Amino acid sequence: MAHVLLTGASSGIGAALAVEFARRGYDLGLIARRAEKLEEVAAEVRALGRKAAIAAADVTDREAMETAIASLVAELGPVDIAIANAGAGGDTSASQLDADASSAMFRLNVEGVLHTFAPVLPDMVERGSGQIVAMSSLAGLIGLPGGGVYSATKAAVQTLMQSFSVTLRPKGVAVTTINPGFVRTPLTDKNSFPMPFMWEVDKAARVMADGIERKRRVIEFPWQLSFALRLGRVLPAAWAEALLRRMR
Ligand SMILES: NC(=O)c1ccc[n+]([C@@H]2O[C@H](COP(=O)([O-])OP(=O)(O)OC[C@H]3O[C@@H](n4cnc5c(N)ncnc54)[C@H](OP(=O)(O)O)[C@@H]3O)[C@@H](O)[C@H]2O)c1
């Protein structure tokens, strides 16, 4: 059966995606740092009649990721769909910039994506099939006030995936970027600011899995926030800035 490799599978969107793909008949290779949480998700996958294998690894550690992915491939076979979902957000102050925290966010949100795809891409290209999927964010469309570093990491992922799509699609490898708005997960549970058009995680996982199965280039929701932020991108810079200042 087709093997979906998924990082950040121990909670939130990743855990919901694992269960959704198991329902659709896929086997799951699950990566995150907390092995006990991964075991709980694996048990849900197995209860749905699919195979699940887990590997505890930190996505910022390149060698650990190579080892983890090799062990999942040994158990479940070649990866058909690799989903780089592990990530974290958080406010970042521009006036008191924390360089260490900012670097850590780049390592997790950007290098973590590269460490997920690098071990699987040579095999996908050789087979002329497969799909890589990165979890970006609507926050990557524009520099959100108070979240500049997070926005920058997610913009980096979008740019990377656009480039990969140009070169990999002709080789038979599909490339998908997911830009969600607010989804109720442990990550957003920490936020105290208003989160308009919040989606429940099961609905988000269904929409994401639909788009991934259709090999869509970009999956983006909700349309209301997507429209507003994409409009912000085409406005003159000073107008966009005035709008973002009001939002704040
Ligand atoms: N929720 C939203 O509204 C929203 C919106 C847009 C984009 N996103 C993106 O969606 C993704 C998932 O977020 P979520 O909301 O589901 O958050 P979450 O519930 O906090 O899940 C984050 C996942 O990433 C894993 N993770 C974190 N650091 C890791 C590391 N260094 N190595 C390996 N795994 C690591 C966590 O597992 P361990 O702690 O066990 O390692 C966990 O499984 C993120 O990339 C986030 O930026 C979320």
Side-chain angles (χ1 to χ4, degrees):
M1 227 326 155
H3 172 184
V4 175
L5 171 84
L6 180 57
T7 71
S10 61
S11 81
I13 292 172
L17 269 178
V19 172
E20 183 60 33
F21 272 104
R23 276 197 199 106
R24 294 172 188 230
Y26 295 82
D27 296 332
L28 272 301
L30 308 171
I31 295 179
R33 292 165 303 177
R34 289 170 297 171
E36 69 290 354
K37 289 275 175 200
L38 286 179
E39 256 322 331
E40 289 172 20
V41 178
E44 285 191 67
V45 169
R46 291 182 195 121
L48 289 161
R50 303 312 323 165
K51 285 190 208 159
I54 69 162
D58 186 325
V59 294
T60 65
D61 181 338
R62 183 174 59 79
E63 283 182 15
M65 283 297 284
E66 285 169 1
T67 306
I69 292 172
S71 81
L72 296 175
V73 168
E75 210 166 325
L76 299 176
V79 175
D80 298 288
I81 304 177
I83 307 178
N85 163 72
D91 282 358
T92 45
S93 158
S95 46
Q96 291 172 320
L97 194 56
D98 182 334
D100 285 338
S102 304
S103 300
M105 208 184 285
F106 266 93
R107 280 199 298 278
L108 173 56
N109 290 357
V110 182
E111 290 183 29
V113 172
L114 298 170
H115 296 163
T116 305
F117 296 153
V120 300
L121 273 173
D123 177 60
M124 286 186 182
V125 170
E126 196 180 313
R127 284 186 290 139
S129 74
Q131 184 172 12
I132 57 170
V133 181
M135 196 62 66
S136 181
S137 168
L138 285 183
L141 293 178
I142 205 157
L144 290 180
V149 177
Y150 182 67
S151 282
T153 65
K154 294 301 187 181
V157 169
Q158 289 172 12
T159 308
L160 183 77
M161 296 301 275
Q162 185 176 33
S163 162
F164 281 2
S165 190
V166 176
T167 48
L168 291 174
R169 286 236 174 206
K171 298 182 197 296
V173 179
V175 177
T176 299
T177 309
I178 307 182
N179 299 328
F182 296 112
V183 179
R184 197 181 310 281
T185 68
L187 185 147
T188 46
D189 287 346
K190 293 181 202 138
N191 295 343
S192 49
F193 52 81
M195 291 179 279
F197 309 109
M198 171 85 90
W199 277 25
E200 296 305 322
V201 74
D202 291 345
K203 176 181 174 186
R206 271 197 310 278
V207 168
M208 290 176 187
D210 283 348
I212 292 168
E213 283 193 318
R214 288 187 195 130
K215 296 190 173 12
R216 299 231 337 248
R217 284 174 175 75
V218 178
I219 300 164
E220 198 164 288
F221 60 81
W223 69 266
Q224 298 92 331
L225 274 186
S226 161
F227 178 78
L229 293 176
R230 286 194 175 275
L231 182 67
R233 276 155 66 105
V234 296
L235 289 176
W239 293 17
E241 196 177 303
L243 272 178
L244 285 166
R245 202 166 284 124
R246 278 177 69 100
M247 253 174 70
R248 196 174 183 188

